[in-house]
Amino acid sequence: MGPAIVVAHGFTGALERPALRRAAAVLGRHAAVVTFSFRGHGRSGGRSTVGDREVLDLAAAVRWARRLGHRRVVTVGFSMGGSVVLRHAALYGADADRGAGPGAEPGSGAGPGAEPGAEPGAGPGAEPGSEAESGPSSGAAPEPGAGPGALEAKGGAGAREAAHANAVVAVSAPARWYYRGTAPMRRVHWAITRPAGRLVSRYGLRTRIDSRGWDPEPLSPVAAAPLIAPTPLLIVHGDRDPYFPLDHPRTLAEAADPSSTELWIEPGFGHAENAADAALLDRIAAWATARL
């Protein structure tokens, strides 16, 4: 079976959102696509931890893609999802013993430093993200009861190896936590850290945010970047991004291994899946499948 692309959406996104479905359809021209909703988003259970325990949701989705028969898997993450694919690649390397294992990954709550794509996930005892589906070209329907939440219960080194990505694409991702340098990010922090903001997120944006802070603070995207090699890494960012200025992608690229990393600064591109047009998504998919 051919390769699969697992798509990690941004904060307040979900697999049923039009922007994500459009992106999946374009990526599906090149490979099978698996989309899912992070915990606390859309119809998935639990609460968002803004990019912390969402790593577990992504690992489960990658493992699910492999169970469907795809031996090569690319992770493509937007905004918060971009920070998640970076941390996932560092923590779930092809060599399961190379880096920190799952026990070293996430803390237990939603951190105030999460970006727009960094949804807070469910804390201990909360139900992880469980809504998932095969993308337009997958050809294989999800197994009943075998969404990311169900698969995450299977642990061990073998499960970590099955959860690794063969190539990684981070689009509009932040380099560091707690960034408040733009007005959109100050609004995001209000939604995450204030009771009124979480109420608006819950009922207005269908995103349920964990009120607990990170403990411990999760590995930052820029700290994860050098741990990803030799897995191919593509960092994509727009020069019109209203959330994160260009020092974020450049910092990520400088921290990563230059022999396996590419940086694309896209003229006129805004932020994440909502702004990514078909031409850019086609180029991303072509890059990813060529690396496989």
Side-chain angles (χ1 to χ4, degrees), residues 12-33:
T12 75
L15 67 82
E16 68 269 16
R17 299 277 181 161
L20 191 70
R21 299 194 75 84
R22 176 181 55 80
V26 176
L27 297 172
R29 301 170 187 170
H30 301 260
V33 172

Side-chain angles (χ1 to χ4, degrees), residues 5 21 24-25 28 31-35 64 68 70 132-142:
I5 298 174
R21 299 194 75 84
V33 172
V34 172
T35 60
W64 188 28
L68 292 174
H70 302 286
E133 65 178 23
S134 298
S137 64
S138 173

Side-chain angles (χ1 to χ4, degrees), residues 174-278:
R176 55 193 181 274
W177 305 136
Y178 309 109
Y179 179 72
R180 293 177 171 83
T182 59
M185 280 308 302
R186 288 190 287 274
R187 290 194 293 269
V188 169
H189 282 274
W190 175 81
I192 293 169
T193 61
R194 301 297 180 86
R198 292 193 292 272
L199 193 65
V200 169
S201 296
R202 181 182 186 92
Y203 293 104
L205 302 173
R206 294 193 63 198
T207 302
R208 298 161 304 285
I209 301 172
D210 195 322
S211 61
R212 294 168 293 179
W214 285 334
D215 184 20
E217 181 178 299
L219 184 73
S220 70
V222 71
L227 305 178
I228 294 172
T231 301
L233 169 62
L234 174 62
I235 300 166
V236 181
H237 212 91
D239 66 359
R240 299 283 182 92
D241 192 311
Y243 289 87
F244 305 114
L246 292 178
D247 66 299
H248 284 262
R250 288 169 176 159
T251 300
L252 289 171
E254 290 170 2
D257 187 333
S259 68
S260 56
T261 303
E262 289 188 37
L263 171 62
W264 295 356
I265 301 296
E266 296 295 311
F269 174 44
H271 185 72
E273 62 264 47
N274 290 323
D277 62 19

